[in-house]
Amino acid sequence: MTRTEVGPRVAHPTPDARTVVRRMSAGDRLRLGARGLTVRKGRTALSALGVAIGITALVGVLGLSESSRADLQAQLDALGTNLLTVAPGQGVMGDDATLPDESVGMIARIPTVESAAAVRKVDATVRRNALVPTSETSGIGVVAADLDLLGTVAATLREGRWLDDATSRYPAVVLGATAARRLAIGPLDGGVDVWIGSRPFTVVGILDPVVLASELDSAAIIGTTVADAVSDDDLPPSGVYVRVDPDQVVATRALLARTANPSAPDEVRVSRPSDALAAQDAATRSFTLLALGLGGVALLVGGVGIANVMVVSVLERRREIGVRRALGATRGSIGGQFLVESVLLSSLGGLAGAVLGVAVTWGYASAQGWALIVPWKPVAAGLACSLVIGSLVGLYPALRAARVPPTEALRTA
C-alpha cells in the first residue's frame, strides 16, 4: 500500500528566545521576582523589617486597645453602671463641707435606691508592726465602713472574710488589695496583725481590686464601732456608695444631693464611677490614635527603605538587565520584574508584621487576663497597605530599570 501525499509539509518554526521572553506569564514573573529577593537574603530581611515594624505597631496597638476595651466592658456589665457616689464638696467660703450623719438613712429611704453604705475617714496610721515609725504610712488610709459596703460596691474577697456584727466591734481589719501588697501581707492562715494607731488589729480579710471604688484598694477597713475607740473625733460620712435601680439612675442622681443635705445641696458632689472609667477609655483611645500615627510613620520609613534597596538592586544588576534586553525582553518585562520584587518585599514585611502584631496582642492580653480580641479588618488593611506601599515605592526603580539601554548595561557591567 502506498501513502498518498496530501500536500507539501509545512515547517513550524520553533519560538526563539525573543518570543519566549515576551510570552512570560504572571507566574513566571512572580517566580523571577522571588528569585531576585534571594540574591541578598540579609538585605532583603532588613528591608522588610521596616514594614514589619510598622504593621506590628498598627496591629498590636489596635488589638490591645480592643482587648482592653472588651475587658472593661465585661467588668462594667458584671458590676453594673448603677453605682453612684455621694461625697461632701466645698462650702460657700471654699472650706471643706461635711455630710450630715443622717444622710445615709435619708438616701436609703429613696424608693429607687437598692442599697446605701457609708465610709468614714479615721485619722490613724497603718503600720506593719509597732517598730515601724508612725511617719511611714505607705499611703494607706483607715476608713470605717458600714457592713453592707461589700455588696453595694460589688467587691469580692481574695482571702478571708468580711466584717460582720461581731468583728466590727473588735480590732479586726479588712485590707484593700494595694494596702495588703504594701504591707507585705501573705496568707492569713496563721493569723496576721497590723498596727492601726497604737493598737494591733487582726487582718480578717483581703479584698480583690475594686473596679468601681478604686480608693478602697489602698484602705484599711474597720468597723464603725471600733473606729470610735481609735479616733476621739466625730466621724461624719466621708462618702456614701449608692446602688440604685438600673432604670432609674438619672432620676435618682438628681435627687441625691437634696436628700443627703437638704439645707445645702450645693455642697454635695454626686458622681458615677463608671463615667470615670468611660473617660479613661476615651483617653486610651486618644493614645491609640497617637500610637497609630507612629506606626504609620514607621511604615512610611520602611517603604522608603525598600525604595532605596530596589534602586541599589537596579544598579547592581545592570548586567542581568542588559542580557535580558539582548535576548528580547521588553521594557515592560524588565520593569514588571522589579515591581514584582518590590511588592513581594513589602508583602513579606507586612505578613511578618501581622503575625508579630497578633503575637504581641496575645502575649500581653494573656498576661493581663484579658480576652484576646484581634481586629481582623485592621490586619487585612495592614496587609493591603503593604501591597500598596510596595507598588508605589517600586514604581521608580522599575521605571529606572526599564530605561536602561541593553548596550550600555552590557558595556558598563
Side-chain angles (χ1 to χ4, degrees), residues 162-301:
W162 178 246
L163 300 172
D164 53 28
D165 290 330
T167 55
S168 64
R169 300 167 182 251
Y170 299 98
V173 60
V174 174
L175 297 176
T178 303
R181 185 178 69 253
R182 292 176 181 175
L183 293 172
I185 302 296
L188 304 179
D189 297 337
V192 179
D193 291 342
V194 296
W195 281 72
I196 297 179
S198 58
R199 60 189 299 184
F201 275 65
T202 301
V203 180
V204 297
I206 298 176
L207 294 176
D208 288 318
V210 185
V211 177
L212 296 181
S214 57
E215 60 275 6
L216 297 177
D217 293 342
S218 58
I221 305 170
I222 61 178
T224 54
T225 303
V226 74
D228 294 333
V230 175
S231 177
D232 297 331
D233 299 330
D234 184 29
L235 299 176
S238 57
V240 182
Y241 297 94
V242 185
R243 180 73 65 172
V244 303
D245 185 344
D247 298 328
Q248 301 294 330
V249 174
V250 177
T252 306
R253 186 174 184 176
L255 297 174
L256 286 177
R258 294 193 299 269
T259 304
N261 193 351
S263 61
D266 294 338
E267 297 179 2
V268 179
R269 293 186 294 107
V270 180
S271 61
R272 184 162 60 169
S274 58
D275 292 341
L277 294 177
Q280 181 182 356
D281 182 61
T284 302
R285 292 186 181 185
S286 299
F287 176 77
T288 300
L289 293 177
L290 176 61
L292 289 178
L294 295 177
V297 172
L299 194 59
L300 179 61
V301 172

Side-chain angles (χ1 to χ4, degrees), residues 113-132:
V113 171
E114 297 177 351
S115 63
V119 293
R120 296 167 173 84
K121 290 184 179 180
V122 180
D123 187 13
T125 60
V126 183
R127 296 169 292 160
R128 187 64 179 84
N129 53 56
L131 301 179
V132 178

Side-chain angles (χ1 to χ4, degrees), residues 19-37 317 320 324 328-344:
T19 306
V20 172
V21 173
R22 287 180 177 177
R23 293 179 180 177
M24 286 181 59
S25 64
D28 294 333
R29 294 185 180 183
L30 186 62
R31 286 190 293 270
L32 189 60
R35 184 178 179 182
L37 297 180
R317 296 160 62 185
E320 174 190 341
R324 292 196 60 220
T330 62
R331 290 185 177 183
S333 299
I334 299 296
Q337 174 187 348
F338 284 88
L339 183 60
V340 168
E341 289 186 20
S342 176
V343 173
L344 286 177

Side-chain angles (χ1 to χ4, degrees), residues 298-322:
L299 194 59
L300 179 61
V301 172
V304 173
I306 290 178
N308 291 333
V309 167
M310 293 306 301
V311 170
V312 172
S313 179
V314 171
L315 297 177
E316 291 178 346
R317 296 160 62 185
R318 293 171 67 88
R319 182 179 180 85
E320 174 190 341
I321 296 172

